[in-house]
Amino acid sequence: MRVQQALRDKLMGALAPSRLDIVDESRMHAGHAGARPEGESHFRLTIVSEKFRGLTRLARQRLVYAAVSEEMRRDVHALALTTLTPEEDAG
Amino acid sequence: MSNPVFERISQDVKDNPVVLYMKGTPIFPQCGFSATVVQILSHLGVKFKGIDVLTDPSLRDGIKQFSNWPTIPQLYVKGEFIGGCDIVREMFETGELQQVLSEKGVPVTAQ
């Protein structure tokens, strides 16, 4: 849970999301290049934040990657990202 | 831009209308995320150049710095960075990808 908790802490701090779902999908990638034996290499994130308003998908994901750059460099092989504003989440 | 890897990337995305930096080759993708983007481009009938970053560690690191994007795959259309697997898939599902390709003059033979 170390990496997952770090992702949560950093994203809460940077994006103040109204919803943040983090699912560890590392087991689905076990044995493939980039997967770590201890797991916590692949996560699926759904983030709902006001900060995404008016931003392209690319800009939204850049915000996410900037917030967790340390984890991306050290532990995480890939994130599957869904980035929504509160209105988009409700729709 | 004196970095030789950056120069090579600049040249590749200039010389080829659609470039996919990926793990493995379009025939044998080595990663599910890369495979997804290959499937979408193939489905649309888009001709693209796949560049396998696993064959060259300097390219694997270099493309991440060049795009300021931490993961592979990465799709370029007419020199512009479009995004990774999730962005390409979402754009495909909404029709935006087909639109961007058409606007940039890349033939799309299927929807």
Side-chain angles (χ1 to χ4, degrees):
Chain A
M1 291 297 283
R2 172 182 67 83
V3 178
Q4 184 163 346
Q5 192 58 50
L7 291 175
R8 181 168 292 280
D9 291 347
K10 291 194 176 167
L11 291 169
M12 291 302 286
L15 298 172
S18 54
R19 179 178 149 212
L20 173 59
D21 300 334
I22 303 182
V23 180
D24 186 341
E25 296 188 334
S26 305
R27 278 198 324 180
M28 291 166 51
H29 300 271
H32 130 305
R36 298 180 305 131
E38 62 270 43
E40 293 208 286
S41 58
H42 294 71
F43 294 90
R44 177 168 297 277
L45 271 55
T46 303
I47 307 167
V48 179
S49 171
E50 291 282 350
K51 302 213 171 181
F52 294 144
R53 196 183 303 280
L55 299 183
T56 62
R57 289 190 183 84
L58 200 59
R60 293 177 185 192
Q61 294 205 2
R62 283 201 197 281
L63 275 186
V64 174
Y65 285 134
V68 299
S69 59
E70 201 183 325
E71 285 67 31
M72 292 307 298
R73 203 166 48 241
R74 278 207 323 234
D75 307 300
V76 176
H77 182 67
L79 298 177
L81 293 174
T82 303
T83 50
L84 303 168
T85 63
E87 289 79 5
E88 290 164 349
D89 187 40
Chain B
M1 280 300 205
S2 57
N3 180 328
V5 178
F6 282 12
E7 281 173 18
R8 182 174 148 204
I9 296 168
S10 298
Q11 199 63 46
D12 277 334
V13 301
K14 200 165 79 181
D15 292 346
N16 302 278
V18 182
V19 182
L20 179 64
Y21 290 90
M22 62 180 292
K23 292 181 179 170
T25 64
I27 308 288
F28 287 111
Q30 299 286 320
C31 156
F33 302 105
S34 292
T36 297
V37 179
V38 167
Q39 273 182 354
I40 289 171
L41 294 175
S42 303
H43 173 81
L44 292 175
V46 170
K47 198 165 163 246
F48 67 98
K49 181 180 173 71
I51 298 182
D52 183 1
V53 303
L54 296 178
T55 61
D56 183 347
S58 70
L59 181 61
R60 186 174 175 175
D61 288 335
I63 188 64
K64 293 178 181 178
Q65 292 169 25
F66 184 87
S67 309
N68 184 28
W69 194 259
T71 55
I72 312 289
Q74 299 187 11
L75 179 66
Y76 276 81
V77 177
K78 291 283 169 94
E80 185 191 334
F81 177 53
I82 301 297
C85 177
D86 292 320
I87 288 178
V88 171
R89 196 181 49 222
E90 278 181 38
M91 288 177 73
F92 167 64
E93 286 166 357
T94 61
E96 286 165 79
L97 182 63
Q98 296 86 318
Q99 195 181 334
V100 166
L101 289 163
S102 299
E103 280 170 9
K104 289 179 177 292
V106 175
V108 176
T109 60
Q111 292 297 309

mmCIF file of all heavy atoms in Angstrom, chain A residues 1-32:
data_model
loop_
_atom_site.group_PDB
_atom_site.id
_atom_site.type_symbol
_atom_site.label_atom_id
_atom_site.label_comp_id
_atom_site.label_asym_id
_atom_site.label_seq_id
_atom_site.Cartn_x
_atom_site.Cartn_y
_atom_site.Cartn_z
ATOM 1 N N MET A 1 0.826 -1.221 0.000
ATOM 2 C CA MET A 1 0.000 0.000 0.000
ATOM 3 C C MET A 1 0.855 1.265 0.000
ATOM 4 O O MET A 1 0.341 2.355 -0.080
ATOM 5 C CB MET A 1 -0.908 0.018 1.242
ATOM 6 C CG MET A 1 -1.995 -1.026 1.205
ATOM 7 S SD MET A 1 -3.155 -0.785 -0.164
ATOM 8 C CE MET A 1 -4.176 0.563 0.464
ATOM 9 N N ARG A 2 2.160 1.107 0.064
ATOM 10 C CA ARG A 2 3.025 2.287 0.173
ATOM 11 C C ARG A 2 2.859 3.217 -1.027
ATOM 12 O O ARG A 2 2.643 4.430 -0.877
ATOM 13 C CB ARG A 2 4.482 1.834 0.293
ATOM 14 C CG ARG A 2 5.496 2.951 0.220
ATOM 15 C CD ARG A 2 6.918 2.401 0.292
ATOM 16 N NE ARG A 2 7.286 1.612 -0.876
ATOM 17 C CZ ARG A 2 7.724 2.125 -2.026
ATOM 18 N NH1 ARG A 2 7.837 3.427 -2.150
ATOM 19 N NH2 ARG A 2 8.048 1.355 -3.038
ATOM 20 N N VAL A 3 2.949 2.646 -2.234
ATOM 21 C CA VAL A 3 2.885 3.466 -3.440
ATOM 22 C C VAL A 3 1.484 4.042 -3.612
ATOM 23 O O VAL A 3 1.304 5.219 -3.924
ATOM 24 C CB VAL A 3 3.288 2.637 -4.677
ATOM 25 C CG1 VAL A 3 3.171 3.474 -5.937
ATOM 26 C CG2 VAL A 3 4.713 2.114 -4.521
ATOM 27 N N GLN A 4 0.490 3.204 -3.374
ATOM 28 C CA GLN A 4 -0.892 3.662 -3.524
ATOM 29 C C GLN A 4 -1.181 4.834 -2.590
ATOM 30 O O GLN A 4 -1.825 5.807 -2.973
ATOM 31 C CB GLN A 4 -1.848 2.504 -3.232
ATOM 32 C CG GLN A 4 -3.306 2.863 -3.460
ATOM 33 C CD GLN A 4 -4.190 1.635 -3.564
ATOM 34 O OE1 GLN A 4 -3.711 0.524 -3.720
ATOM 35 N NE2 GLN A 4 -5.486 1.846 -3.481
ATOM 36 N N GLN A 5 -0.673 4.743 -1.349
ATOM 37 C CA GLN A 5 -0.894 5.828 -0.385
ATOM 38 C C GLN A 5 -0.179 7.095 -0.832
ATOM 39 O O GLN A 5 -0.711 8.205 -0.713
ATOM 40 C CB GLN A 5 -0.412 5.398 1.008
ATOM 41 C CG GLN A 5 -0.852 6.338 2.123
ATOM 42 C CD GLN A 5 -2.369 6.480 2.187
ATOM 43 O OE1 GLN A 5 -3.091 5.497 2.209
ATOM 44 N NE2 GLN A 5 -2.879 7.720 2.184
ATOM 45 N N ALA A 6 1.027 6.939 -1.388
ATOM 46 C CA ALA A 6 1.777 8.105 -1.871
ATOM 47 C C ALA A 6 1.040 8.778 -3.017
ATOM 48 O O ALA A 6 0.939 10.009 -3.075
ATOM 49 C CB ALA A 6 3.174 7.675 -2.311
ATOM 50 N N LEU A 7 0.491 7.961 -3.936
ATOM 51 C CA LEU A 7 -0.281 8.522 -5.052
ATOM 52 C C LEU A 7 -1.473 9.310 -4.508
ATOM 53 O O LEU A 7 -1.747 10.432 -4.919
ATOM 54 C CB LEU A 7 -0.785 7.403 -5.971
ATOM 55 C CG LEU A 7 0.249 6.638 -6.805
ATOM 56 C CD1 LEU A 7 -0.426 5.488 -7.557
ATOM 57 C CD2 LEU A 7 0.963 7.552 -7.789
ATOM 58 N N ARG A 8 -2.160 8.700 -3.543
ATOM 59 C CA ARG A 8 -3.351 9.351 -2.987
ATOM 60 C C ARG A 8 -2.980 10.675 -2.318
ATOM 61 O O ARG A 8 -3.592 11.710 -2.580
ATOM 62 C CB ARG A 8 -4.033 8.416 -1.981
ATOM 63 C CG ARG A 8 -5.293 8.982 -1.349
ATOM 64 C CD ARG A 8 -6.077 7.917 -0.589
ATOM 65 N NE ARG A 8 -6.653 6.914 -1.458
ATOM 66 C CZ ARG A 8 -7.785 7.090 -2.156
ATOM 67 N NH1 ARG A 8 -8.444 8.232 -2.073
ATOM 68 N NH2 ARG A 8 -8.252 6.138 -2.929
ATOM 69 N N ASP A 9 -1.950 10.645 -1.480
ATOM 70 C CA ASP A 9 -1.551 11.860 -0.759
ATOM 71 C C ASP A 9 -1.193 12.973 -1.737
ATOM 72 O O ASP A 9 -1.617 14.120 -1.581
ATOM 73 C CB ASP A 9 -0.344 11.572 0.144
ATOM 74 C CG ASP A 9 -0.708 10.663 1.310
ATOM 75 O OD1 ASP A 9 -1.922 10.466 1.549
ATOM 76 O OD2 ASP A 9 0.215 10.144 1.963
ATOM 77 N N LYS A 10 -0.409 12.641 -2.750
ATOM 78 C CA LYS A 10 0.079 13.682 -3.665
ATOM 79 C C LYS A 10 -1.046 14.231 -4.542
ATOM 80 O O LYS A 10 -1.102 15.426 -4.811
ATOM 81 C CB LYS A 10 1.210 13.141 -4.516
ATOM 82 C CG LYS A 10 2.412 12.900 -3.620
ATOM 83 C CD LYS A 10 3.683 12.680 -4.341
ATOM 84 C CE LYS A 10 4.795 12.548 -3.287
ATOM 85 N NZ LYS A 10 6.012 12.029 -3.846
ATOM 86 N N LEU A 11 -1.935 13.346 -4.974
ATOM 87 C CA LEU A 11 -3.032 13.813 -5.831
ATOM 88 C C LEU A 11 -4.037 14.628 -5.023
ATOM 89 O O LEU A 11 -4.568 15.623 -5.511
ATOM 90 C CB LEU A 11 -3.717 12.618 -6.505
ATOM 91 C CG LEU A 11 -2.829 11.929 -7.554
ATOM 92 C CD1 LEU A 11 -3.429 10.599 -7.993
ATOM 93 C CD2 LEU A 11 -2.604 12.842 -8.756
ATOM 94 N N MET A 12 -4.274 14.230 -3.777
ATOM 95 C CA MET A 12 -5.161 15.023 -2.921
ATOM 96 C C MET A 12 -4.577 16.419 -2.747
ATOM 97 O O MET A 12 -5.289 17.417 -2.830
ATOM 98 C CB MET A 12 -5.327 14.361 -1.545
ATOM 99 C CG MET A 12 -6.123 13.053 -1.532
ATOM 100 S SD MET A 12 -7.790 13.155 -2.181
ATOM 101 C CE MET A 12 -8.640 14.002 -0.866
ATOM 102 N N GLY A 13 -3.271 16.482 -2.530
ATOM 103 C CA GLY A 13 -2.621 17.771 -2.322
ATOM 104 C C GLY A 13 -2.633 18.639 -3.567
ATOM 105 O O GLY A 13 -2.902 19.843 -3.506
ATOM 106 N N ALA A 14 -2.360 18.046 -4.714
ATOM 107 C CA ALA A 14 -2.178 18.839 -5.927
ATOM 108 C C ALA A 14 -3.497 19.189 -6.607
ATOM 109 O O ALA A 14 -3.627 20.257 -7.203
ATOM 110 C CB ALA A 14 -1.285 18.074 -6.905
ATOM 111 N N LEU A 15 -4.477 18.279 -6.552
ATOM 112 C CA LEU A 15 -5.679 18.452 -7.387
ATOM 113 C C LEU A 15 -6.961 18.636 -6.571
ATOM 114 O O LEU A 15 -8.007 18.916 -7.143
ATOM 115 C CB LEU A 15 -5.846 17.234 -8.312
ATOM 116 C CG LEU A 15 -4.684 17.018 -9.300
ATOM 117 C CD1 LEU A 15 -4.841 15.697 -10.042
ATOM 118 C CD2 LEU A 15 -4.616 18.168 -10.300
ATOM 119 N N ALA A 16 -6.867 18.487 -5.250
ATOM 120 C CA ALA A 16 -8.053 18.600 -4.391
ATOM 121 C C ALA A 16 -9.274 17.929 -5.024
ATOM 122 O O ALA A 16 -10.317 18.553 -5.205
ATOM 123 C CB ALA A 16 -8.340 20.072 -4.084
ATOM 124 N N PRO A 17 -9.162 16.663 -5.406
ATOM 125 C CA PRO A 17 -10.264 16.020 -6.136
ATOM 126 C C PRO A 17 -11.486 15.808 -5.256
ATOM 127 O O PRO A 17 -11.363 15.562 -4.059
ATOM 128 C CB PRO A 17 -9.667 14.668 -6.555
ATOM 129 C CG PRO A 17 -8.555 14.411 -5.591
ATOM 130 C CD PRO A 17 -8.038 15.747 -5.155
ATOM 131 N N SER A 18 -12.669 15.918 -5.885
ATOM 132 C CA SER A 18 -13.898 15.602 -5.160
ATOM 133 C C SER A 18 -14.127 14.095 -5.184
ATOM 134 O O SER A 18 -14.920 13.563 -4.419
ATOM 135 C CB SER A 18 -15.088 16.333 -5.777
ATOM 136 O OG SER A 18 -15.174 16.068 -7.157
ATOM 137 N N ARG A 19 -13.439 13.415 -6.108
ATOM 138 C CA ARG A 19 -13.493 11.952 -6.124
ATOM 139 C C ARG A 19 -12.141 11.448 -6.607
ATOM 140 O O ARG A 19 -11.567 12.002 -7.547
ATOM 141 C CB ARG A 19 -14.598 11.499 -7.073
ATOM 142 C CG ARG A 19 -14.739 10.001 -7.183
ATOM 143 C CD ARG A 19 -15.903 9.642 -8.108
ATOM 144 N NE ARG A 19 -15.633 8.394 -8.789
ATOM 145 C CZ ARG A 19 -16.056 8.088 -10.014
ATOM 146 N NH1 ARG A 19 -16.757 8.963 -10.704
ATOM 147 N NH2 ARG A 19 -15.768 6.938 -10.548
ATOM 148 N N LEU A 20 -11.630 10.442 -5.937
ATOM 149 C CA LEU A 20 -10.350 9.846 -6.338
ATOM 150 C C LEU A 20 -10.430 8.342 -6.101
ATOM 151 O O LEU A 20 -10.438 7.887 -4.970
ATOM 152 C CB LEU A 20 -9.192 10.457 -5.522
ATOM 153 C CG LEU A 20 -7.815 9.820 -5.703
ATOM 154 C CD1 LEU A 20 -7.375 9.874 -7.158
ATOM 155 C CD2 LEU A 20 -6.785 10.520 -4.810
ATOM 156 N N ASP A 21 -10.534 7.597 -7.188
ATOM 157 C CA ASP A 21 -10.561 6.137 -7.094
ATOM 158 C C ASP A 21 -9.234 5.593 -7.584
ATOM 159 O O ASP A 21 -8.783 5.957 -8.671
ATOM 160 C CB ASP A 21 -11.679 5.543 -7.966
ATOM 161 C CG ASP A 21 -13.063 6.037 -7.548
ATOM 162 O OD1 ASP A 21 -13.214 6.404 -6.366
ATOM 163 O OD2 ASP A 21 -13.964 6.055 -8.402
ATOM 164 N N ILE A 22 -8.617 4.761 -6.791
ATOM 165 C CA ILE A 22 -7.350 4.148 -7.179
ATOM 166 C C ILE A 22 -7.495 2.632 -7.077
ATOM 167 O O ILE A 22 -7.825 2.107 -6.016
ATOM 168 C CB ILE A 22 -6.194 4.601 -6.251
ATOM 169 C CG1 ILE A 22 -6.068 6.128 -6.262
ATOM 170 C CG2 ILE A 22 -4.884 3.945 -6.683
ATOM 171 C CD1 ILE A 22 -4.923 6.663 -5.407
ATOM 172 N N VAL A 23 -7.295 1.973 -8.206
ATOM 173 C CA VAL A 23 -7.371 0.510 -8.235
ATOM 174 C C VAL A 23 -6.012 -0.034 -8.639
ATOM 175 O O VAL A 23 -5.444 0.390 -9.652
ATOM 176 C CB VAL A 23 -8.446 0.027 -9.246
ATOM 177 C CG1 VAL A 23 -8.515 -1.490 -9.274
ATOM 178 C CG2 VAL A 23 -9.801 0.630 -8.911
ATOM 179 N N ASP A 24 -5.487 -0.922 -7.837
ATOM 180 C CA ASP A 24 -4.190 -1.546 -8.149
ATOM 181 C C ASP A 24 -4.427 -2.699 -9.125
ATOM 182 O O ASP A 24 -5.048 -3.694 -8.772
ATOM 183 C CB ASP A 24 -3.550 -2.048 -6.855
ATOM 184 C CG ASP A 24 -2.137 -2.568 -7.083
ATOM 185 O OD1 ASP A 24 -1.783 -2.872 -8.239
ATOM 186 O OD2 ASP A 24 -1.379 -2.667 -6.097
ATOM 187 N N GLU A 25 -3.952 -2.520 -10.346
ATOM 188 C CA GLU A 25 -4.127 -3.552 -11.379
ATOM 189 C C GLU A 25 -2.824 -4.289 -11.669
ATOM 190 O O GLU A 25 -2.682 -4.928 -12.714
ATOM 191 C CB GLU A 25 -4.668 -2.916 -12.673
ATOM 192 C CG GLU A 25 -6.053 -2.322 -12.509
ATOM 193 C CD GLU A 25 -6.673 -1.875 -13.827
ATOM 194 O OE1 GLU A 25 -5.914 -1.556 -14.764
ATOM 195 O OE2 GLU A 25 -7.907 -1.842 -13.907
ATOM 196 N N SER A 26 -1.877 -4.210 -10.737
ATOM 197 C CA SER A 26 -0.552 -4.786 -10.985
ATOM 198 C C SER A 26 -0.613 -6.272 -11.297
ATOM 199 O O SER A 26 0.151 -6.770 -12.117
ATOM 200 C CB SER A 26 0.353 -4.557 -9.775
ATOM 201 O OG SER A 26 0.409 -3.183 -9.463
ATOM 202 N N ARG A 27 -1.559 -6.963 -10.650
ATOM 203 C CA ARG A 27 -1.626 -8.422 -10.870
ATOM 204 C C ARG A 27 -1.939 -8.761 -12.323
ATOM 205 O O ARG A 27 -1.509 -9.780 -12.827
ATOM 206 C CB ARG A 27 -2.685 -9.043 -9.957
ATOM 207 C CG ARG A 27 -2.165 -9.285 -8.554
ATOM 208 C CD ARG A 27 -3.025 -10.263 -7.816
ATOM 209 N NE ARG A 27 -4.439 -10.064 -8.192
ATOM 210 C CZ ARG A 27 -5.437 -10.769 -7.704
ATOM 211 N NH1 ARG A 27 -5.202 -11.707 -6.826
ATOM 212 N NH2 ARG A 27 -6.685 -10.550 -8.073
ATOM 213 N N MET A 28 -2.710 -7.861 -12.987
ATOM 214 C CA MET A 28 -3.041 -8.091 -14.396
ATOM 215 C C MET A 28 -1.809 -8.005 -15.287
ATOM 216 O O MET A 28 -1.825 -8.449 -16.430
ATOM 217 C CB MET A 28 -4.059 -7.056 -14.879
ATOM 218 C CG MET A 28 -5.426 -7.227 -14.271
ATOM 219 S SD MET A 28 -6.486 -5.784 -14.535
ATOM 220 C CE MET A 28 -6.329 -5.564 -16.313
ATOM 221 N N HIS A 29 -0.762 -7.372 -14.779
ATOM 222 C CA HIS A 29 0.442 -7.172 -15.591
ATOM 223 C C HIS A 29 1.622 -7.976 -15.066
ATOM 224 O O HIS A 29 2.753 -7.768 -15.489
ATOM 225 C CB HIS A 29 0.812 -5.680 -15.616
ATOM 226 C CG HIS A 29 -0.270 -4.820 -16.190
ATOM 227 N ND1 HIS A 29 -0.367 -4.535 -17.523
ATOM 228 C CD2 HIS A 29 -1.325 -4.208 -15.600
ATOM 229 C CE1 HIS A 29 -1.433 -3.768 -17.740
ATOM 230 N NE2 HIS A 29 -2.024 -3.560 -16.588
ATOM 231 N N ALA A 30 1.363 -8.876 -14.135
ATOM 232 C CA ALA A 30 2.450 -9.649 -13.528
ATOM 233 C C ALA A 30 3.243 -10.386 -14.598
ATOM 234 O O ALA A 30 2.661 -10.957 -15.523
ATOM 235 C CB ALA A 30 1.884 -10.643 -12.525
ATOM 236 N N GLY A 31 4.559 -10.338 -14.481
ATOM 237 C CA GLY A 31 5.413 -11.076 -15.397
ATOM 238 C C GLY A 31 5.769 -10.311 -16.654
ATOM 239 O O GLY A 31 6.687 -10.675 -17.372
ATOM 240 N N HIS A 32 5.074 -9.206 -16.894
ATOM 241 C CA HIS A 32 5.353 -8.419 -18.111
ATOM 242 C C HIS A 32 6.406 -7.379 -17.765
ATOM 243 O O HIS A 32 6.572 -7.002 -16.605
ATOM 244 C CB HIS A 32 4.014 -7.871 -18.624
ATOM 245 C CG HIS A 32 3.950 -6.416 -18.942
ATOM 246 N ND1 HIS A 32 4.278 -5.417 -18.068
ATOM 247 C CD2 HIS A 32 3.547 -5.793 -20.077
ATOM 248 C CE1 HIS A 32 4.106 -4.251 -18.648
ATOM 249 N NE2 HIS A 32 3.657 -4.450 -19.856
#
